[in-house]
Amino acid sequence: MIYGDVANKASVISFNVKNIHPFDVGTLLDKQGIAVRTGHHCTQPLMQCFNIPGTIRASFSFYNTKDEIDIFILALEKAIKMLS
Amino acid sequence: MSIAEIEQEIIEEFELFADDWELKYEHLIELGKSLPLINEKYKTEENIIKGCQSKVWLHSALENGKVLYTADSDAIITKGMVALMIRVLSNQKPDDILHADMAFIDKIGLKEHLSPTRANGLVSMIRQMKLDALALSQRS
């Protein structure tokens, strides 16, 4: 589930995996060398509004490559497999 | 078993995984499933440990001079960490709990969970377990 879908959205993607806590996903991504942020991102009222404990947030910058995005997706798939 | 003996047992258990993070975390996830779960009635706002990115509920009780801990968390890796803490500190005398240095966490390569930016929840957790042990021992 991706949060935020406005037009012209920047390259900051907040998301969650169904039935898995964002902290668990973040920890296993970190072990694979992928740096994401997890938690409230200082927006507790918004998290309450969505009724979620937090999100995982991937932020892409001009120096990231398509290959890195592929590596991120593979790492994410591995994390989900370990946690399900 | 004493706290030191249990710590040693856990260190040896984790040595099997060497530097394989995957096996280590799979084991941690499994440990999370063995956590002595807190009774639902104690899953209250005041039993939540502050400073955790994931929620941790902790309940402590004194039985025959020893502290028994039960807990739960909404994140499975946190649950595994909590299960380790409980395995070491539960069913021990308050005085021994207060003097435990929990050095095994570093030795099994999970020190990163103690860093303040990462998950200071674990530090808060150990502090709360010790505070509860102290409070329970004063009451008896």
Side-chain angles (χ1 to χ4, degrees):
Chain A
M1 159 106 194
I2 293 176
Y3 301 92
D5 53 6
V6 292
N8 304 321
K9 194 174 145 50
S11 60
V12 179
I13 299 169
S14 261
F15 66 99
N16 266 326
V17 181
K18 199 176 173 185
N19 297 329
I20 302 179
H21 196 282
F23 176 73
D24 288 330
V25 177
T27 303
L28 296 187
L29 284 175
D30 173 59
K31 296 313 290 183
Q32 298 176 80
I34 309 283
V36 294
R37 276 209 63 187
T38 60
H40 297 124
H41 317 295
C42 301
T43 62
Q44 282 86 341
L46 184 65
M47 298 298 147
Q48 270 170 22
C49 173
F50 285 133
N51 194 25
I52 51 174
T55 69
I56 307 142
R57 193 178 66 188
S59 309
F60 298 95
S61 189
F62 59 86
Y63 49 71
N64 287 118
T65 63
K66 279 187 179 172
D67 280 351
E68 286 172 342
I69 295 173
D70 289 342
I71 293 168
F72 161 63
I73 294 299
L74 286 176
L76 181 60
E77 282 173 353
K78 185 171 194 159
I80 294 170
K81 199 174 152 211
M82 285 178 74
L83 291 163
S84 340
Chain B
M1 274 206 281
S2 72
I3 288 179
E5 283 165 349
I6 300 171
E7 288 196 35
Q8 191 52 40
E9 187 186 73
I10 293 172
I11 290 167
E12 282 165 21
E13 191 176 301
F14 273 77
E15 268 169 7
L16 296 172
F17 311 127
D19 289 329
D20 190 327
W21 72 269
E22 215 175 314
L23 286 178
K24 194 188 288 180
Y25 275 80
E26 271 170 2
H27 184 57
L28 210 49
I29 291 165
E30 278 309 307
L31 286 175
K33 294 172 187 164
S34 72
L35 177 71
L37 280 182
I38 188 168
N39 188 313
E40 282 296 319
K41 70 177 175 190
Y42 296 127
K43 247 176 150 177
T44 57
E45 201 63 33
E46 62 192 50
N47 279 339
I48 292 180
I49 295 173
K50 310 270 185 304
C52 284
Q53 193 181 110
S54 47
K55 272 187 189 161
V56 174
W57 293 268
L58 177 73
H59 179 254
S60 319
L62 196 66
E63 222 167 272
N64 300 325
K66 290 178 173 176
V67 185
L68 296 180
Y69 297 103
T70 49
D72 199 4
S73 173
D74 53 353
I76 189 70
I77 293 173
T78 309
K79 241 170 137 165
M81 295 297 297
V82 173
L84 279 176
M85 301 306 120
I86 287 189
R87 189 161 139 201
V88 172
L89 295 181
S90 197
N91 210 14
Q92 300 289 346
K93 292 186 190 123
D95 201 44
D96 295 338
I97 294 167
L98 289 172
H99 290 97
D101 65 0
M102 309 300 270
F104 78 100
I105 298 168
D106 190 5
K107 293 191 182 129
I108 61 174
L110 292 172
K111 194 184 166 192
E112 67 216 42
H113 289 274
L114 290 173
S115 79
T117 49
R118 184 56 182 288
N120 50 23
L122 196 57
V123 177
S124 312
M125 165 107 197
I126 296 168
R127 191 187 302 128
Q128 192 60 49
M129 289 175 95
K130 291 192 172 197
L131 279 172
D132 284 5
L134 183 64
L136 287 168
S137 69
Q138 298 300 314
R139 220 180 291 164
S140 61

